[in-house]
Amino acid sequence: MRIVFSTQEISDTGHCVRFFTSHMAVWVYADDKLIYSVEQLHSVFGNSPGVIWNFVDVPSETEQLTVIVRAAYPQVRQKKIDFYAGDTGRMYKYLLYSSGAEVIVSLLEIMVGVVLIGYWLMAHKRVPIERDISYFGVFALLTGIWSFNETKMATILIPSRTACAFVSAVSLMLMIPPFVQFMKCFWKIKDRWISETICVMAYLNFVIQMLLQLTGILGLRQISLEDLVC
């Protein structure tokens, strides 16, 4: 995808262009000079640059700005990209402040998870205590990690977006077993096969996706129902 802007469209509001890309390589040219790029990576975490808020400062003498994007996966090839122009500092502040509530909730989830897991590890050897606390702690921890990595603040402040995308995908896949076990213990559900089957399927899904990821056949973010059907 190739998008061309005139500097008049940008200079009226500021000298910075902001846009969000999801698993796309990016090259930005001021006239014919490359001023910004996000290259597609090839690592154990995947071949995608991840999700990124791109901030491009446009030189004042630029006459034409050209943005070229290339999708890492076919699934995101048709994804719409919105562009914003303005002052760099103000745009950073806007995104950081707007994600403040999400970050606080995510960090609280992580904190609750760590506290519950730590409490169960210390207490279960001394007094009889149900495992539902530990299951809920693991679930809260994974939920917090996943939700924090999806916030705008994390997208801006954490440079290794490929690793973050990997961690988010892993956290999301591993949420199911502790949640199922928590519900079973908390509600005292007496079943022999249903919960175990769900957990086994979740772990099997995790192993298969990790093998596909590590062998380079399919990335974690690339696997979908359409891929399996095709």
Side-chain angles (χ1 to χ4, degrees), residues 2-7 9-10 63-68 83:
R2 182 187 182 96
I3 306 101
V4 179
F5 301 94
S6 69
T7 52
E9 298 177 70
I10 302 169
E63 295 182 1
Q64 182 174 278
L65 190 73
T66 304
V67 180
I68 300 174
F83 292 86

Side-chain angles (χ1 to χ4, degrees), residues 39-50 72-73 162 213 216 219 222:
E39 301 290 342
Q40 186 168 342
L41 304 177
H42 299 280
S43 69
V44 68
F45 297 118
N47 300 327
S48 164
Y73 305 133
T162 303
Q213 165 78 29
Q222 195 175 2

Side-chain angles (χ1 to χ4, degrees), residues 27-89:
W27 298 270
V28 181
Y29 293 86
D31 296 328
D32 294 325
K33 181 181 179 181
L34 180 66
I35 59 172
Y36 178 86
S37 66
V38 176
E39 301 290 342
Q40 186 168 342
L41 304 177
H42 299 280
S43 69
V44 68
F45 297 118
N47 300 327
S48 164
V51 293
I52 300 174
W53 274 106
N54 303 273
F55 291 83
V56 183
D57 289 313
V58 183
S60 57
E61 67 276 7
T62 303
E63 295 182 1
Q64 182 174 278
L65 190 73
T66 304
V67 180
I68 300 174
V69 296
R70 185 177 66 197
Y73 305 133
Q75 289 85 346
V76 297
R77 191 168 293 158
Q78 302 301 324
K79 200 160 188 176
K80 181 183 177 183
I81 300 177
D82 295 318
F83 292 86
Y84 306 89
D87 177 73
T88 307

Side-chain angles (χ1 to χ4, degrees), residues 129-145:
I129 186 172
E130 295 290 340
R131 295 183 66 92
D132 53 352
I133 293 179
S134 64
Y135 290 134
F136 185 77
V138 174
F139 174 72
L141 178 62
L142 293 173
T143 303
I145 293 173

Side-chain angles (χ1 to χ4, degrees), residues 204-225:
L204 183 61
N205 172 66
F206 172 75
V207 171
I208 292 174
Q209 293 207 38
M210 289 300 297
L211 287 175
L212 292 174
Q213 165 78 29
L214 296 176
T215 55
I217 298 174
L218 284 176
L220 292 178
R221 296 286 185 168
Q222 195 175 2
I223 300 171
S224 66
L225 182 59

Side-chain angles (χ1 to χ4, degrees), residues 224-230:
S224 66
L225 182 59
E226 293 180 357
D227 297 320
L228 298 177
V229 172
C230 296

